[in-house]
Amino acid sequence: MGLLDDVDEILIPEAAIQPRIRELGSAISSDYEGKDPLLVGILTGAFVFLSDLLRQITIPCQVDFMATSSYGEGTESSGIVRILKDLDQTIEGRHVLIVDDIIDTGLTMDYLLETLKARYPASLRVCALLDKVPRRRREVRIDYRGFEIPDKFVVGYGLDFGGQYRNVPFVCVLKPEVYR
Ligand code: PRP
């Protein structure tokens, strides 16, 4: 039995992800021309998206990471956001673009926006691959959005269930027995 045997439904195939990321990269490159943006990847989930997005950005830019946790082992957000790793650099006066794999309840991004805004960046925007609108508990403005998805627990392309499935190259839903 391989990983792919656990897949019930592919929501976003690999062939759809890459062209969308090219479009996002192109929009970011044009909007941030001459601004030397700092892309802040939110670990762990965003590392796959960020690494592809970064290579579609054609202007000078830098990368830093933060790690947060809200889910624990299950499929429901605990509602409590913890910073596990902070930025390595100061962002005062920088054009900061937060990059995450998914906005679900919005609790994580709301917390990050508040936290980073207090450090006086020149600008602060959000880029998210997936937007799960029906689950939103905090209003979050997504400046660069890959795809809107329904209220289903998704894995793959960086997103995990119990730490697994991040290496699946598409966004999918697992068979119900896997979640039990
Ligand atoms: C996921 C995802 C977002 C957050 C979104 O991270 O990467 O950061 O949850 O959920 P929210 O909108 O309900 O706050 P998670 O805490 O699962 O950590 P991970 O990236 O290490 O899997």
Side-chain angles (χ1 to χ4, degrees):
M1 290 283 280
L3 262 191
L4 299 188
D5 294 316
D6 293 342
V7 174
D8 194 24
E9 179 194 0
I10 296 178
L11 278 191
I12 309 173
E14 233 179 323
I17 296 175
Q18 296 309 329
R20 186 73 189 113
I21 292 180
R22 272 198 290 280
E23 290 174 355
L24 294 174
S26 158
I28 291 166
S29 302
S30 120
D31 293 352
Y32 285 92
E33 178 87 60
K35 292 184 168 170
D36 188 20
L38 178 68
L39 275 63
V40 173
I42 308 305
L43 297 170
T44 304
F47 81 98
V48 178
F49 173 44
L50 179 61
S51 74
D52 281 344
L53 178 69
L54 195 63
R55 285 172 287 176
Q56 298 301 331
I57 294 177
T58 53
I59 55 164
C61 63
Q62 294 176 29
V63 176
D64 202 341
F65 291 96
M66 287 179 84
T68 60
S69 178
S70 67
Y71 275 72
E73 298 284 304
T75 60
E76 284 294 314
S77 173
S78 65
I80 299 162
V81 180
R82 285 187 301 148
I83 291 188
L84 306 178
K85 180 215 171 293
D86 208 335
L87 294 172
D88 289 338
Q89 51 197 294
T90 55
I91 58 166
E92 188 171 344
R94 297 294 308 270
H95 292 279
V96 174
L97 179 61
I98 307 176
V99 179
D100 210 346
D101 49 359
I102 186 168
I103 313 279
D104 189 335
T105 63
L107 287 165
T108 302
M109 195 52 71
D110 185 59
Y111 179 81
L112 285 170
L113 285 168
E114 283 306 307
T115 303
L116 296 187
K117 202 164 69 181
R119 301 180 190 180
Y120 303 106
S123 69
L124 184 59
R125 287 185 178 171
V126 174
C127 175
L129 181 69
L130 306 175
D131 182 8
K132 201 191 271 186
V133 184
R135 295 252 310 164
R136 201 69 94 254
R137 287 165 60 188
R138 295 277 192 288
E139 198 181 321
V140 172
R141 175 183 152 163
I142 305 175
D143 302 282
Y144 303 94
R145 177 173 68 170
F147 302 91
E148 216 178 291
I149 59 165
D151 185 8
K152 295 181 175 182
F153 190 85
V154 293
V155 302
Y157 199 73
L159 291 101
D160 76 307
F161 173 59
Q164 298 286 345
Y165 304 100
R166 295 194 199 274
N167 54 325
V168 171
F170 44 77
V171 177
C172 63
V173 177
L174 298 176
K175 291 175 179 162
E177 59 264 32
V178 181
Y179 294 121
R180 265 183 226 128

